[in-house]
Structures are given as structure tokens and as C-alpha cells.
Amino acid sequence: MKQDSRIFVAGHRGMVGSAIVRKLELDGFTNILTRSSAELDLRNQNEVEDFFLRQKPEFVFLAAAHVGGIMANKTFRAEFIYDNLMIEANVIHAAWKHGVSKLLFLGSSCIYPRLAPQPMREDCLLTGLLEDTNEPYAIAKIAGIKLCEAYRDQHGCNFISAMPTNLFGKGDNYDLQKSHVIPALIRKFHEAKISQSPETVIWGSGAPLREFMFVDDLADGCVFLMRNYDDRLFVNIGTGTEITIKDLAYIIKGVVGFDGEVIFDAGKPDGTPRKLMDSTLIYSLGWRHKTELIDGLVSAYQHFKSEFA
Ligand code: GFB
């Protein structure tokens, strides 16, 4: 990528896309193309086709997606598969048709089988059944990987894919029914502190293990891969560290400063029991995350307070 390359960040209003734009701006890229979903509906093939024809992007970060936490995935199953399949198919096809030099597609760690050996290596894709709560989303994300591979195989396109672990940070969704666990717990503990509630309810048993990455680190990893990686195999991006939801809850409780009890609601789903990625491949290329979980959580709580509290 040259400093004045035409770089399209699809999904720049989302948590990941906005972090990629921040990173590109920090690195001095001067020609970043963005469109809101009102300006360009990526599910609409004609609109996508017209955008690529007129704007001629040279590089594409495909960060646009319909995303959400465990309950949103479980509930809005049709939207999660349809929106994501349409976005990926339209953007990847148009990128080939209009001669994009390189595209990076963003997937998710939920592409791996529910009971995959831990830590999960890239080669365990499609070796077992998926987690039911997010199967439609995972199928769409696997389709995105396969689109990149197929356009590379048939047309020689330099389309690569990155699989981030669970993310959090600036621009996260704090809607309690749709969000992921970290923004949900920040909000729940904050509101319980303000209202001096004696307790806060956490979903599930607290036993599941998750790996979390601060979104600005993920953006750094994506730009690193865009500059340094041209191979067919998709790349895991993780921190290598996992934590139980229970321990995470107590850390966030401390960051927010809530003094009450934590109650676990076993009526809510746990989802995948464990989801730790093997990030040996990206480490071997010379990349590592920079932000420790506690520092990222402190920063996320500050963003939450400045935007919502
Ligand atoms: O972050 P989360 O929704 O995503 O949930 P997943 C992680 C764990 O936190 C689950 C528990 O075991 C939840 O039951 N949890 C506890 C909570 N309290 C809460 C709460 O108040 N809100 C939420 N949301 N969770 C999603 C997938 O799975 O992760 C997607 O559905 C995607 O497909 C994404 O892969 C990264 O890790 O379970």
C-alpha cells in the first residue's frame, strides 16, 4: 500500500472498521474511502457494483458485518446469515471484477468447531460441528473465507482473511440484548453502581473461557497483514490468553467500582465452552498485540462513560 493508495474500509462506522480507519490515519494514509450503510447498502449488488466502478478502490478492508453477542446471534438467525452472505458475496465479487489489488476479509473465531482442540489452529476449520448459538453467523463467515480462496484459485486475486478473537473497545455496542459480554458487563456494573443496586446478574454459569483482544490491536494486526501477508491460508489474530467469564466479571466489577454481589443466571446460554485461538502463524510473521486486558478494560470504561454515562 502506498500512502496515497485508494483504500476502502467497508464498515467504517462499526467497532472494527472505525479502529482500522484510526490506524490508517495514524500511519499517514491519505486516501481512505468510507460509506455509511445509508449511502451504500453492501447487501445490494447494484449499489456495490456502482461504487466499485466509480471509486476504483485499490485496497479493501472488508470489516462490514452484521455482528452481535450470544443472544443476538441466537435470536436473529436469518439476519445474521443473510446480511453477512450478501455483504461478502457482493464486495468480494466486485473487488475481483474491478481489479482490486488486495482485499482483507474479517471473519471470527466462531468459524471453528464447537469442540475444536485448544488452542484452535487454522487447519481445524471444517473438522466438526459448529456451536449452535452462532451457527448461521459462522456459516456466513466460513463462506467469506471460501470466497477469498475461490477467487484466488480461479482468478489469481490477492484476497486474504483474518480471524479475530473476541473483541472489545471504542465503538462497541452497549445494547444489553445485542452486545457482547464486555460491553454488557461494563454497562450492567456501571448502572448498578449508580443506582446503588445490591446485585448484578451475569448470563450463564460463568465457566466458559474466552480470549479477548482490544480492537485497536486487531486493527494494527489487519494493517500488518495487508502489508506483509499474501498467502491463501487465513490467519488467526489472538492474544494467546484466556479467562473465565466469572473472572472477567470480577475484573470489570473492580474497574467500574461496583461493590454489590454478582449473580449467575443459569437460564441464559453459555455458548462455546472454550474458544482460544492458536496465533502462532501471525506471531511467526513478527506481530504481537500490545494492550493487556486490564488496560483495555480501563480504556473501554472511559469510552463508555464519555459516550453514554
Ligand atoms: O460475548 P458473548 O455474547 O459471545 O458471550 P460469544 C460470551 C460469554 O459471556 C457467554 C456470557 O458465555 C455468555 O453467556 N455472558 C455473561 C454474557 N453475561 C453476559 C451478558 O450480559 N451479555 C453477553 N452478551 N454475554 C459470540 C458469537 O459468542 O461472540 C458470535 O455469538 C461471535 O458469533 C462473537 O463469534 C465474537 O463468545 O459466546
Side-chain angles (χ1 to χ4, degrees):
M1 278 190 300
K2 298 201 297 287
Q3 293 305 101
D4 63 349
S5 294
R6 297 175 67 74
I7 305 169
F8 176 39
V9 180
H12 77 291
R13 290 245 174 110
M15 179 172 70
V16 171
S18 59
I20 291 174
V21 170
R22 279 200 296 283
K23 170 65 182 160
L24 291 171
E25 286 175 349
L26 197 69
D27 287 0
F29 290 97
T30 55
N31 217 342
I32 303 167
L33 305 170
T34 58
R35 291 291 184 277
S36 68
S37 53
E39 292 165 331
L40 170 59
D41 182 352
L42 294 171
R43 296 167 304 180
N44 182 308
Q45 190 178 28
N46 291 336
E47 288 187 29
V48 173
E49 178 69 26
D50 189 59
F51 171 80
F52 275 79
L53 181 69
R54 288 172 195 272
Q55 300 301 327
K56 301 188 175 23
E58 298 167 80
F59 294 86
V60 175
F61 288 88
L62 181 36
H66 189 135
V67 301
I70 191 166
M71 207 53 94
N73 267 271
K74 194 171 178 295
T75 312
F76 304 107
R77 299 173 79 84
E79 290 171 39
F80 273 82
I81 192 162
Y82 176 81
D83 290 350
N84 288 307
L85 283 175
M86 296 303 282
I87 292 168
E88 294 157 8
N90 289 339
V91 173
I92 291 169
H93 186 72
W96 159 64
K97 222 172 146 184
H98 296 280
V100 164
S101 301
K102 188 166 179 180
L103 174 146
L104 181 144
F105 166 69
L106 274 142
S108 165
S109 59
C110 68
I111 57 156
Y112 291 114
R114 179 172 202 271
L115 300 177
Q118 307 283 320
M120 304 179 296
R121 287 164 30 142
E122 285 87 353
D123 61 9
C124 73
L125 182 71
L126 295 176
T127 56
L129 294 176
L130 297 164
E131 157 64 25
D132 179 64
T133 52
N134 57 216
E135 191 191 69
Y137 179 71
I139 293 279
K141 288 296 181 183
I142 293 170
I145 296 172
K146 294 296 166 190
L147 278 160
C148 290
E149 290 176 358
Y151 279 76
R152 171 183 291 270
D153 294 343
Q154 187 179 341
H155 299 302
C157 299
N158 190 2
F159 293 171
I160 63 171
S161 299
M163 295 308 117
T165 189
N166 284 33
L167 303 168
F168 71 100
K170 190 177 180 185
D172 216 336
N173 177 1
Y174 287 89
D175 174 334
L176 291 181
Q177 294 311 312
K178 295 186 174 171
S179 72
H180 292 98
V181 61
I182 289 182
L185 297 194
I186 287 176
R187 179 167 169 187
K188 284 181 181 178
F189 285 128
H190 177 81
E191 289 180 350
K193 181 177 83 167
I194 300 298
S195 64
Q196 298 183 326
S197 167
E199 60 184 43
T200 295
V201 177
I202 308 297
W203 294 351
S205 65
L209 285 151
R210 292 290 184 273
E211 177 188 23
F212 295 100
M213 176 175 282
F214 192 54
V215 70
D216 288 276
D217 283 344
L218 185 264
D220 188 71
C222 290
V223 173
F224 174 87
L225 289 176
M226 193 61 116
R227 285 176 155 142
N228 298 296
Y229 187 79
D230 294 313
D231 289 347
R232 186 177 190 274
L233 182 62
F234 60 92
V235 185
N236 288 343
I237 308 186
T239 63
T241 306
E242 60 185 342
I243 182 171
T244 64
I245 296 302
K246 183 177 181 184
D247 288 346
L248 173 77
Y250 281 99
I251 293 175
I252 298 177
K253 181 177 181 267
V255 167
V256 171
F258 170 64
D259 292 329
E261 294 291 308
V262 179
I263 311 286
F264 292 90
D265 176 359
K268 292 285 194 303
D270 270 347
T272 310
R274 201 176 165 199
K275 200 162 51 165
L276 177 66
M277 302 218 291
D278 183 325
S279 299
T280 308
L281 175 54
I282 193 164
Y283 297 165
S284 73
L285 299 170
W287 184 87
R288 289 267 171 171
H289 75 286
K290 299 188 184 77
T291 313
E292 291 312 317
L293 179 61
I294 182 69
D295 299 324
L297 291 173
V298 169
S299 168
Y301 183 45
Q302 280 164 357
H303 285 304
F304 170 79
K305 281 194 292 184
S306 65
E307 282 171 46
F308 302 100

